[in-house]
Structure formats: structure tokens, C-alpha cells
Amino acid sequence: KNKNKNLNLIKLLKQSEKDYTETNAWSSNLQILAWPIYPIQEIQKYYRDEDFEKTNWIPFQWIQIVTEQLTPVYSAADWVVYNVSNNPWIGINWALIIHPKWYATVYLYLNNILVNAWDVVRRWQLIWYSWWEPWTQWAWFSSAGPNLTFIVYKDWVALDPLQFLDLSVIENKEI
């Protein structure tokens, strides 16, 4: 049953990708994603944060957006939810969405995930809520506060998410 569902989905994705032309925004890589949380209060950590790399010995290849606990989180663009980790008993919940031209977005520190693997989603569709308030389940004392960690991949290489987001919508430029 799942094999047939996956084959039909793959056929749909291939046809859908054919419909995108080279003049589409996905080929220019500029401001093609919607902010997954809005309004933006603060960006806590930026792509390639040197302090994080010095402390943890791995490159920081994402951004962390500060938010309130249980803030709605939206899909940054259309296409298909590839995988969801929505387990109330084990650590970090996350979701991975595949987009045209094999871009992917990953969302970390989620609660109340409203989508499942293989669901088709639209840009700005409510798909879950933010999480990770200090001392809540699985955050304990290690959290610096509720946030959404947002990652963008192209062909499974991490890219700076800010190059794909419209920075002009941020009212407070100090953040």
C-alpha cells in the first residue's frame, strides 16, 4: 500500500517539477521562502556562527529565530513533507519538507505537529507550533528559550537561510 502511494507521489513530484521553468524563483535562489514565523522578534544565532563552532566543534549551518512558546510555525514554501519526528517522549521534534529543484527546509524544536510524512503543504500553511521553553519537557535547563531552528538545503548541502528570505519585512532592523 505504501509502495503504491510512494510511486504515485514520486510521479506527481516529477510532473510538478517539470512545471517549474528556469525563470521561476527557484532558479534564482532569491527570496523564495516565506518566513516560517512572523513577526520576527529576534534572530538568536546566524548561519556560520563562529562562537557555536568554537564551543561545539561543528559548523552552525542554520538560523535560530527567537519566538514565544507555542507560536504558529508555517511552511516556508510549497511541496511535500518528507519526514516528521513527533514523539512526545524523545527529545527534539522536527520536520523536513522537500521543495522544487530539490531544495529542502528543516524545522527543529516543534510541538503539536499538524502534518504527517507525505502530506502536500502550501506556502504559509500552519503546520506546527514552536517549543523549547526552558524547563519544559526535553528542554530542561539547556534551552536558551523557545525558538525555531530553520535549515535550508540544496542537494543536501546546507545554505544560509537568510539568502532565501525577504529581509525587508523585518520591522526592527536591530535584530
Side-chain angles (χ1 to χ4, degrees):
K1 183 178 177 182
N2 284 338
K3 182 179 176 185
N4 288 338
K5 181 179 179 182
N6 291 347
L7 289 175
N8 289 338
L9 185 60
I10 289 168
K11 186 188 294 184
L12 173 71
L13 292 176
K14 285 181 179 179
Q15 181 57 47
S16 179
E17 188 167 23
K18 272 187 182 178
D19 295 341
Y20 284 86
T21 65
E22 290 304 315
T23 59
N24 186 281
W26 286 100
S27 63
S28 67
N29 297 348
L30 298 175
Q31 299 178 1
I32 56 173
L33 299 176
W35 284 90
I37 291 179
Y38 193 81
I40 307 304
Q41 296 177 10
E42 178 184 351
I43 298 174
Q44 187 174 40
K45 285 193 176 19
Y46 292 88
Y47 182 82
R48 300 285 186 191
D49 181 285
E50 291 177 9
D51 291 335
F52 180 90
E53 190 167 350
K54 285 176 190 172
T55 304
N56 298 288
W57 306 303
I58 60 168
F60 192 83
Q61 298 185 325
W62 48 86
I63 61 173
Q64 280 184 336
I65 305 168
V66 174
T67 187
E68 299 297 321
Q69 184 85 334
L70 299 176
T71 297
V73 177
Y74 305 96
S75 174
D78 297 347
W79 232 4
V80 174
V81 178
Y82 183 74
N83 199 1
V84 172
S85 169
N86 190 18
N87 186 335
W89 302 109
I90 301 175
I92 299 170
N93 288 337
W94 57 274
L96 167 66
I97 299 179
I98 302 294
H99 304 288
K101 303 287 183 188
W102 299 109
Y103 283 87
T105 51
V106 179
Y107 309 75
L108 294 159
Y109 306 121
L110 306 173
N111 190 27
N112 300 332
I113 298 176
L114 305 173
V115 294
N116 297 304
W118 303 113
D119 285 354
V120 175
V121 295
R122 305 292 299 171
R123 179 184 179 106
W124 276 104
Q125 178 180 335
L126 175 63
I127 44 184
W128 38 72
Y129 294 90
S130 65
W131 191 241
W132 221 244
E133 180 78 30
W135 298 103
T136 55
Q137 185 180 17
W138 303 113
W140 300 304
F141 62 88
S142 65
S143 175
N147 71 76
L148 172 71
T149 296
F150 183 62
I151 310 169
V152 175
Y153 291 102
K154 167 69 170 140
D155 298 324
W156 304 112
V157 174
L159 304 172
D160 183 356
L162 293 181
Q163 74 179 346
F164 298 93
L165 298 164
D166 183 1
L167 301 178
S168 71
V169 302
I170 300 176
E171 293 176 18
N172 180 359
K173 303 300 184 198
E174 296 296 313
I175 65 167

